[in-house]
Amino acid sequence: MKIAILSRNARLYSTQRLVEAARKRKHTVKVLDPLRCYMSIAPQSFAIHFKGKPLGPIDCVIPRIGASSTFYGTAVLRQLELMGVLTPNPSDAVLRARDKLRCLQILATRGIDMPVTAFGDNPDDTSDLLAMLGDPPHIIKLNEGTQGAGVVLAEKRSASQSVIEAFRGLYANFLVQEFIREANGSDLRCFVVGNEVVASMERSSAPGEFRANLHRGGSAAAVELSDEERRVAIEAASALGLEVAGVDLLRSSRGPLLLEVNASPGLEGIEASTGVDVAGAIIAHCEARHAARPAPPKPRRGKAAKGLTAI
């Protein structure tokens, strides 16, 4: 296969591992900075140039789109989809996962349990909004934050109101959630590829920190999931249309709770903690998807085919 990886930085661990795994399996692979791709759009005709040249044939694209380039990155990914390129994570699925509010609304319709979440806009409604959640502590998080950034723990109602006022002053969209105390600052990262969890780890927060993100000093170790945790992770990724996803769960007194779904999950922590070749699993899944695709129709010969343009 000819594989493209959409990534702003070819030196990132996750990007390098995908390149290594693809080459190990004898594929041609190229890293494309989505911000260096530019597109032309015309009726029934779509094209992409990269660094001054037309982009050659691609069988599969693996998106590694960061939060800062969501809009443009998903536009490039959508253009590749329109050109017939296979991807395990379509552009619309990436957008569903990136918007935390939309993600939770979709998953709630599937009956997936999660911390009670509230969302509002008008300052006059803050008191009633917090009343909908119940007593503090509350978790207040930016709607499009990543790696634990923009997540605040408010121990008192007055603190919740102050943080909400501060976020509104920045014209930021945010969610307010119940705090799951029995999780003890730990969460589960379930790495879904296709319709199975290929690796899982438990992340624990550093002393004095409530966020378990490794970027916040947390630690991680391989963990065995229950059947229910595995089912929730797979169903959450499927509901959003993602074939490669990092699904974060909390262990609570009422069972596994969905925290969030990441459409571009990092590979370094999960591979180091579990010893699983996650990059290889992603490439193998793309191989299977490509092999299962129906062969493109053969172009018609003769006068009827004159003037037809391949896209």
Side-chain angles (χ1 to χ4, degrees):
M1 283 194 302
K2 295 179 180 178
I3 298 174
I5 300 171
L6 281 185
S7 173
R8 292 295 322 281
N9 189 347
R11 294 187 297 273
L12 293 175
Y13 177 92
S14 298
T15 304
Q16 288 184 335
R17 283 289 296 118
L18 288 167
V19 170
E20 291 169 3
R23 288 176 176 165
K24 184 177 180 179
R25 300 173 77 95
K26 310 302 182 184
H27 300 298
T28 301
V29 60
K30 185 173 186 177
V31 178
L32 302 177
D33 179 349
L35 300 191
R36 294 299 308 274
C37 297
Y38 42 104
M39 303 160 277
S40 68
I41 304 165
Q44 299 301 311
S45 178
F46 306 91
I48 291 183
H49 282 212
F50 178 68
K51 293 184 177 180
K53 297 179 180 180
L55 193 62
I58 296 174
D59 296 310
C60 179
V61 57
I62 301 173
R64 300 288 311 172
I65 299 171
S68 63
S69 57
T70 297
F71 174 80
Y72 198 87
T74 53
V76 172
L77 179 58
R78 187 180 304 111
Q79 183 87 344
L80 289 167
E81 292 173 65
L82 291 169
M83 294 167 66
V85 179
L86 169 72
T87 179
N89 286 355
S91 54
D92 285 345
V94 174
L95 289 171
R96 291 184 202 109
R98 192 55 52 83
D99 183 337
K100 289 184 173 66
L101 176 62
R102 185 183 180 192
C103 174
L104 293 177
Q105 288 173 323
I106 292 170
L107 298 179
T109 65
R110 297 284 288 262
I112 294 175
D113 204 359
M114 60 190 67
V116 177
T117 303
F119 176 78
D121 182 70
N122 196 300
D124 294 339
D125 301 325
T126 299
S127 294
D128 192 44
L129 179 77
L130 294 175
M132 293 170 70
L133 282 180
D135 295 332
H138 299 134
I139 297 289
I140 302 142
K141 60 174 66 174
L142 292 176
N143 192 40
E144 295 185 354
T146 60
Q147 298 177 349
V151 181
V152 179
L153 170 64
E155 296 278 3
K156 298 181 179 179
R157 186 175 295 270
S158 59
S160 297
Q161 290 176 322
S162 295
V163 173
I164 288 172
E165 289 171 3
F167 278 177
R168 284 203 174 112
L170 297 172
Y171 300 99
N173 291 318
F174 58 90
L175 308 175
V176 190
Q177 291 184 319
E178 67 170 318
F179 178 61
I180 308 301
R181 191 178 298 276
E182 63 268 27
N184 294 318
S186 296
D187 67 16
L188 306 176
R189 164 57 62 93
C190 312
F191 207 108
V192 177
V193 178
N195 59 357
E196 65 175 311
V197 177
V198 298
S200 55
M201 64 181 176
E202 182 174 33
R203 302 182 298 191
S204 300
S205 60
E209 175 63 76
F210 72 95
R211 294 166 292 187
N213 304 76
L214 299 184
H215 289 83
R216 301 288 162 183
S219 59
V223 67
E224 185 66 32
L225 300 178
S226 68
D227 290 343
E228 179 66 6
E229 290 164 346
R230 197 174 296 274
R231 182 195 67 78
V232 170
I234 294 169
E235 186 172 352
S238 175
L240 297 177
L242 296 170
E243 296 173 20
V244 175
V247 181
D248 296 341
L249 305 177
L250 294 176
R251 283 177 166 167
S252 78
S253 57
R254 62 181 191 260
L257 302 180
L258 190 287
L259 197 56
E260 63 181 68
V261 181
N262 192 325
S264 296
L267 304 185
E268 187 170 9
I270 195 82
E271 289 194 333
S273 300
T274 65
V276 176
D277 179 10
V278 177
I282 294 171
I283 300 300
H285 175 71
C286 292
E287 289 173 348
R289 283 289 314 278
H290 182 258
R293 295 188 91 183
K298 295 181 179 180
R300 291 176 292 171
R301 298 181 180 276
K303 294 181 180 180
K306 189 175 182 179
L308 291 179
T309 302
I311 297 174

